[in-house]
Amino acid sequence: MSTIRVVWGSASAPTAMASYDAALAEAGVENYNLVSVSSVIPAGVDVEAVGTAPDLGPAGERLTVVEARATAAGPGRVSAALAWAQSVDDGPGLFYETAGETDRDDVERRVREGLAAGQELRDWAFVDPRVAVESRQAESGDHTTAVVLAVYGKSEPILAD
């Protein structure tokens, strides 16, 4: 069975891009080219919240993700959240993501509301939702990023031979 891993991280650095790269490093996906997809979970897939990704293949390859990402220059707080629910009997499911310059409770509330709205659009019976949230204080003079990503399987070559 294929696996989607939910990973997360946050970091501060002198620039917005450096803080994003460092947050990806905390999540274990800094060496890949991320390709974002919309939020449908295929049927027959396990979703595991792992925090930090294992080795998913060679550096520079493509990695398919659903990403919640917030970056801000301090002072302030950034938070990112990803919620998911699968349908019963290993059917398809949904991810919903949200992020912003706000606190942990706000993004969790918003992502749960979004997921519930998405579930209402579908004629699937869902199991209980799960949520992963990452939040970090941005200090004055720093850029800070929080990310939560659903990583679909392993990496794939980005260039054809």
Side-chain angles (χ1 to χ4, degrees):
M1 183 174 280
S2 297
T3 301
I4 297 173
R5 293 169 186 87
V6 177
V7 300
W8 52 85
S10 58
S12 296
T15 68
M17 186 55 72
S19 73
Y20 177 55
D21 194 28
L24 292 177
E26 192 171 287
V29 294
E30 74 279 17
N31 291 327
Y32 302 101
N33 289 295
L34 305 181
V35 177
S36 292
V37 295
S38 62
S39 306
V40 177
I41 301 168
V45 172
D46 281 335
V47 179
E48 299 176 0
V50 299
T52 303
D55 180 5
L56 298 173
E61 289 196 334
R62 174 180 43 238
L63 198 58
T64 302
V65 301
V66 173
E67 180 181 39
R69 168 186 175 185
T71 300
R77 174 166 287 281
V78 291
S79 299
L82 187 72
W84 65 99
Q86 293 175 269
S87 56
V88 297
D89 300 325
D90 289 326
L94 295 174
F95 285 112
Y96 262 65
E97 64 276 11
T98 193
E101 293 184 49
T102 187
D103 65 28
R104 172 181 295 274
D105 292 341
D106 184 52
V107 292
E108 182 170 351
R109 178 189 54 76
R110 288 191 293 143
V111 79
R112 285 183 183 276
E113 289 173 353
L115 181 63
Q119 288 174 300
E120 289 178 17
L121 294 174
R122 288 157 178 88
D123 190 24
W124 305 337
F126 287 92
V127 299
D128 288 339
R130 296 184 62 199
V131 177
V133 179
E134 181 71 6
S135 185
R136 186 175 180 124
Q137 185 66 36
E139 301 301 330
S140 183
D142 279 339
H143 289 81
T144 300
T145 298
V147 295
V148 183
L149 304 100
V151 178
Y152 285 59
K154 294 191 176 257
S155 67
E156 299 173 347
I158 198 165
L159 297 172
D161 289 336

